[in-house]
Amino acid sequence: QTSSGSLYEELGSDAGISRIVDDTLLIVLQDPRIKEAFKDVNMKRLAGLLKEQFCEISGGPCRYSGDDMKLTHEGQDVSSAQFNALAEDVQIAMERLNISSSVQNKLIARLAPMKRDIVIRK
Ligand code: HEM
């Protein structure tokens, strides 16, 4: 970890983010709290978009090419508990990849503000 390093670099750049996203989605598909929501979703496509998104929000060189979070999750009826479950799954994936908790917390902190767009239901 260099002093000039962005969160993107701390996460292991493209290869590291790729592993985080792939592992997260495997955990999500086993997670009884949220797996149902993804049963008809093209997971390969979702993985590609999440990689772009995580890269961009961590200060990497990618640009997210998907739909905005509000539009995407409208009609999914995502609850606050489900949002928290997904964030927890991202954290579990990072923990298993031996990413330090300070770096884990930084990524989670950048995902947290998306909650207001993703969760409509109170
Ligand atoms: C930190 C939280 C989350 C992030 C960053 C996130 C991010 C994304 C992204 C980038 C996409 C792809 C957008 C596109 O298709 O253009 C997506 C799609 C989707 N998300 Fe989320 N999401 C989050 C939470 C959730 C939760 C909690 C649920 C449900 C339990 C959920 C359900 C879905 C579903 C079902 C799709 C696929 C929509 C479709 O292809 O029709 N998401 N999400």
Side-chain angles (χ1 to χ4, degrees):
Q1 184 180 328
T2 61
S3 53
S4 64
S6 60
L7 177 56
Y8 168 75
E9 286 161 338
E10 292 176 322
L11 291 167
S13 305
D14 280 352
I17 288 171
S18 221
R19 277 192 286 271
I20 294 166
V21 168
D22 288 340
D23 289 7
T24 296
L25 291 180
L26 288 174
I27 295 166
V28 163
L29 289 176
Q30 308 277 338
D31 187 337
R33 299 172 296 179
I34 49 178
K35 65 177 183 187
E36 197 67 8
F38 295 91
K39 67 178 194 306
D40 296 325
V41 172
N42 178 340
M43 297 305 277
K44 274 212 168 125
R45 178 179 169 276
L46 179 60
L49 289 168
L50 283 171
K51 286 170 196 181
E52 287 179 356
Q53 188 187 45
F54 284 19
C55 174
E56 178 167 334
I57 66 170
S58 65
C62 330
R63 289 302 162 254
Y64 173 62
S65 66
D67 287 328
D68 74 63
M69 290 297 92
K70 198 167 182 185
L71 202 67
T72 298
H73 298 91
E74 243 166 34
Q76 305 280 358
D77 197 28
V78 179
S79 70
S80 176
Q82 286 178 313
F83 181 93
N84 294 342
L86 197 143
E88 196 182 306
D89 290 347
V90 175
Q91 196 149 9
I92 292 167
M94 290 192 286
E95 185 69 35
R96 290 187 189 162
L97 291 165
N98 292 314
I99 292 167
S100 74
S101 17
S102 76
V103 172
Q104 290 179 28
N105 291 340
K106 283 189 237 179
L107 180 60
I108 297 300
R110 292 185 196 192
L111 295 175
M114 297 180 189
K115 187 165 185 172
R116 72 175 82 92
D117 289 328
I118 292 174
V119 176
I120 310 282
R121 187 189 347 160
K122 289 295 164 249

